[in-house]
């Protein structure tokens, strides 16, 4: 079940909200959310929900041991909880990839079995790890109630595509939270904003990407494909984050922001402070800093950065293009910290923005193509080349199929790009001088946007969430 499906919008969500607000106590509301979250996950993953339950139960008992132990026993309990969860992640997500590459390297004929990837396993695994590790570090108190821990791990707004919520950030909200009319209104308004972003922008960008004949068909076709996919992945993922944060607020949870207009960034470093903020925070707090961060000299800092970005790439998927994508950004960040720091400081802001956006577009082209041969052809087309009988030749400026897609979608990509910029906050700031008009727009716009989204959903056949596969 996805947030932008009719079954969720018109059936699941209204019933859950009604039951939640009719519940007489926080304990009853938590029970409603646990039941709803398990149903939400089991809707499409009836067997794989057991994986999530096993991971949660293991870390629940290990954390209890950690809280009551010292020395080796404490370390062993932490290692067991972390190890079991990571082992399940590796098995379901990476076993086939590892076996295929090992057998290819050794010249064997073994084939990996078909293993269904549980939706959202990368997200909820990282969440449960923050709990066990925070208890071990003394950053969070042990959760004595298994059901509250399960609520933290399985809470349906952020269960299958984030944001990654660290346990210490919401621990107190599991035990005590209140939802006023303002919270509910603001939360649902944020949810509808995300829904509109998904249905009206991400889905149309995705349809354009799917309609392209191939990213390597021509020079302009390759860049158009990469540009529109750059917009699709932003609107798709940030839309889900908007909906998750909005639903969380409507239910009394305060989730941190996950996106902050990344396409206005003036450097790759700034881009990653604005993109998927919760993932960056996780790798900083639980990988980069434990490795030594930047405290052990420049050489070690560079190694630590490359390790983190290799893992960031692999987190997104079991394919070599994700590893290349992670190392691509890792190398860029290293260069910005070393050779490019002073030149970037002296460069005009417009040039820095243009270069950063170009870097992002090329990065998303790498991210998109899981087949390395296709990726090679795409990158060659982006520099005006193609392979013919093993040799390099010029690629055409624009192919017929790509031209047809461009005509069909017209100026829509430019409109979508404008929507990726912080125009709405600027308009809101201007309207604050006219509070009545602003209040009227805040009341009317979400209703109109929700109705328009439903109309589009009825006629759309393309409605996936990209990050569900991670």
């Amino acid at each position: 079940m996805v947030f932008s499906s009719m079954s969720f919008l018109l059936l699941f969500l209204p019933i859950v909200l009604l039951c939640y607000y009719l519940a007489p106590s926080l304990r009853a509301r938590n029970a409603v959310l646990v039941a709803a979250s398990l149903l939400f996950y089991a809707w499409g993953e009836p067997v794989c929900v057991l994986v999530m339950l096993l991971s949660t139960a293991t870390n629940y008992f290990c954390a209890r041991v950690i809280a009551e132990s010292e020395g080796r026993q404490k370390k062993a309990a932490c290692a067991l909880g972390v190890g079991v969860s990571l082992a399940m992640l590796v098995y379901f997500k990476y076993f086939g990839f590892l076996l295929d590459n090992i057998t290819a390297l050794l010249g064997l004929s073994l084939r990996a079995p078909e293993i269904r990837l549980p939706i959202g396993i990368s997200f909820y695994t990282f969440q449960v790890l923050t709990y066990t590790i925070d208890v071990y570090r003394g950053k969070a108190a042990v959760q004595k109630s298994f059901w509250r821990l399960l609520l933290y791990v399985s809470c349906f707004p952020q269960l299958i595509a984030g944001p990654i919520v660290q346990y210490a950030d919401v621990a107190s909200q599991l035990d005590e939270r209140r939802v006023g009319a303002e919270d509910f209104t603001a939360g649902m308004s944020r949810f509808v904003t995300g829904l509109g972003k998904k249905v009206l922008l991400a889905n149309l960008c995705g349809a354009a990407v799917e309609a392209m004949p191939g990213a390597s068909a021509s020079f302009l076709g390759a860049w158009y494909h990469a540009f529109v996919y750059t917009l699709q992945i932003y609107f798709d993922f940030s839309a889900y984050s908007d909906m998750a944060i909005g639903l969380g607020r409507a239910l009394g949870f305060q989730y941190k922001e996950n996106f902050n207009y990344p396409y206005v960034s003036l450097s790759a470093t700034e881009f990653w402070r604005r993109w998927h903020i919760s993932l960056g925070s996780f790798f900083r707090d639980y990988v980069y800093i434990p490795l030594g961060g930047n405290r052990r000299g420049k050489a070690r800092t560079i190694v630590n950065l490359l390790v983190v970005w290799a893992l960031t790439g692999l987190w997104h998927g079991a394919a070599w293009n994700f590893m290349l994508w992670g190392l691509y950004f890792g190398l860029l960040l290293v260069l910005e910290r070393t050779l490019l720091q002073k030149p970037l400081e002296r460069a005009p802001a417009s040039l820095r923005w243009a270069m950063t956006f170009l870097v992002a577009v090329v990065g998303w082209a790498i991210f998109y193509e899981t087949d390395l041969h296709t990726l090679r052809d795409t990158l060659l087309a982006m520099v005006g080349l193609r392979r013919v009988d093993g040799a390099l030749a010029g690629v055409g400026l624009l192919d017929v199929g790509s031209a047809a897609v461009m005509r069909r979608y017209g100026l829509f990509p430019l409109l979508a790009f404008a929507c990726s910029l912080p125009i709405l906050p600027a308009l809101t700031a201007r309207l604050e001088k006219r509070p009545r008009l602003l209040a009227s727009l805040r009341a009317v716009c979400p209703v109109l946007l929700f109705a328009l989204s439903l109309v589009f959903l009825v006629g759309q056949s393309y409605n996936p969430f990209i990050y569900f596969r991670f």
Side-chain angles (χ1 to χ4, degrees):
M1 190 189 307
V2 298
F3 287 171
S4 56
S5 65
M6 289 296 192
S7 56
F8 179 84
L9 294 171
L10 303 181
L11 181 64
F12 182 87
L13 183 58
I15 292 174
V16 171
L17 290 176
L18 180 63
C19 293
Y20 182 79
Y21 281 102
L22 289 177
S25 64
L26 180 62
R27 184 175 181 180
R29 287 184 171 185
N30 284 348
V32 169
L33 283 184
V34 169
S37 298
L38 294 179
L39 175 61
F40 177 82
Y41 193 79
W43 191 283
E45 301 282 328
V47 176
C48 292
V49 70
L50 298 176
V51 178
M52 181 182 65
L53 292 173
L54 178 59
S55 180
T56 304
T58 301
N59 283 272
Y60 170 75
F61 287 111
C62 287
R64 295 292 296 267
V65 174
I66 291 170
E68 299 168 1
S69 307
E70 294 293 339
R72 292 183 178 179
Q73 189 176 5
K74 183 177 181 178
K75 291 182 179 180
C78 182
L80 178 62
V82 172
V84 167
S85 293
L86 287 180
M88 288 190 286
L89 177 62
V90 169
Y91 174 74
F92 284 101
K93 191 168 185 176
Y94 303 105
F95 179 76
F97 171 72
L98 293 172
L99 184 61
D100 286 344
N101 281 277
I102 291 172
T103 54
L105 184 64
L106 299 178
L108 302 176
S109 59
L110 295 175
R111 292 193 65 182
E114 290 290 333
I115 301 174
R116 183 176 180 179
L117 178 66
I119 293 175
I121 189 172
S122 299
F123 289 92
Y124 69 70
T125 296
F126 276 20
Q127 288 200 178
V128 78
L129 292 184
T130 71
Y131 167 68
T132 303
I133 295 172
D134 284 355
V135 171
Y136 176 79
R137 291 174 173 176
K139 185 180 177 181
V142 68
Q143 177 56 257
K144 295 181 180 180
S145 169
F146 171 75
W147 299 107
R148 285 179 183 169
L149 181 63
L150 181 60
L151 172 59
Y152 159 66
V153 175
S154 68
C155 194
F156 75 87
Q158 42 76 49
L159 169 61
I160 52 180
I164 299 169
V165 180
Q166 296 188 20
Y167 179 76
D169 292 334
V170 296
S172 61
Q173 298 169 36
L174 298 171
D175 300 323
E176 183 178 355
R177 63 183 182 277
R178 295 180 180 178
V179 186
E182 182 180 352
D183 290 315
F184 179 81
T185 302
M188 294 311 297
S189 178
R190 180 72 179 270
F191 173 83
V192 171
T193 299
L195 178 65
K197 189 187 292 186
K198 165 63 179 169
V199 175
L200 305 178
L201 295 172
N203 284 1
L204 288 176
C205 287
V209 170
E210 290 292 313
M212 291 291 290
S216 60
S218 63
F219 175 75
L220 292 179
W223 280 103
Y224 182 85
H225 185 281
F227 173 67
V228 178
Y229 182 70
T230 294
L231 299 174
Q232 181 197 1
I233 196 167
Y234 166 69
F235 288 121
D236 194 271
F237 194 18
S238 66
Y240 192 97
S241 293
D242 285 339
M243 288 187 274
I245 292 168
L247 284 179
R249 185 169 180 182
L251 297 169
F253 293 99
Q254 300 293 326
Y255 298 145
K256 291 183 177 179
E257 293 297 329
N258 207 25
F259 287 86
N260 183 22
Y261 296 100
Y263 293 151
V264 302
S265 302
L266 302 184
S267 66
T269 301
E270 183 184 357
F271 178 83
W272 282 104
R273 289 179 184 149
R274 292 172 173 270
W275 180 280
H276 204 344
I277 298 168
S278 63
L279 181 65
S281 298
F282 177 90
F283 276 110
R284 180 196 64 211
D285 296 341
Y286 298 95
V287 180
Y288 180 68
I289 292 176
L291 285 175
N294 59 0
R295 304 187 305 274
R296 298 184 182 180
K298 290 185 178 180
R300 182 59 181 271
T301 299
I302 291 173
V303 171
N304 291 344
L305 281 170
L306 293 179
V307 168
V308 165
W309 281 98
L311 292 175
T312 300
L314 279 177
W315 178 87
H316 283 84
W320 285 111
N321 73 300
F322 294 118
M323 172 75 84
L324 293 173
W325 173 80
L327 290 174
Y328 166 79
F329 274 107
L331 288 171
L332 286 172
L333 294 176
V334 168
L335 288 173
E336 286 187 354
R337 286 192 175 205
T338 54
L339 300 178
L340 300 179
Q341 186 173 5
K342 290 184 179 179
L344 284 173
E345 291 174 353
R346 293 193 294 264
S350 57
L351 178 61
R352 293 172 62 189
W353 171 81
M355 293 301 296
T356 302
F357 188 72
L358 179 66
V359 160
V361 172
V362 174
W364 292 127
I366 298 172
F367 189 91
Y368 179 84
E369 299 290 359
T370 55
D371 181 79
L372 293 184
H373 292 93
T374 306
L375 173 59
R376 176 202 62 197
D377 293 342
T378 297
L379 295 178
L380 285 174
M382 293 177 78
V383 294
L385 298 173
R386 63 189 177 103
R387 287 175 61 88
V388 179
D389 297 328
L392 293 179
V395 72
L397 181 65
L398 180 63
D399 61 288
V400 174
S402 297
V405 174
M406 293 178 186
R407 286 195 299 270
R408 185 189 313 166
Y409 288 90
L411 296 177
F412 172 74
L414 295 179
L415 174 64
F417 174 70
C419 293
S420 73
L421 305 177
I423 296 173
L424 185 59
L427 291 175
T428 303
R430 282 177 171 267
L431 288 173
E432 285 179 353
K433 298 177 181 179
R434 305 177 67 181
R436 289 186 179 179
L437 176 59
L438 181 59
S440 299
L441 289 174
R442 283 176 170 168
V444 173
C445 287
V447 177
L448 295 177
L449 185 58
F450 182 73
L452 185 61
S453 298
L454 290 182
V455 170
F456 268 70
L457 278 174
V458 170
Q460 283 182 350
S461 58
Y462 185 88
N463 189 31
F465 267 113
I466 295 175
Y467 264 70
F468 277 11
R469 64 190 174 103
F470 305 136

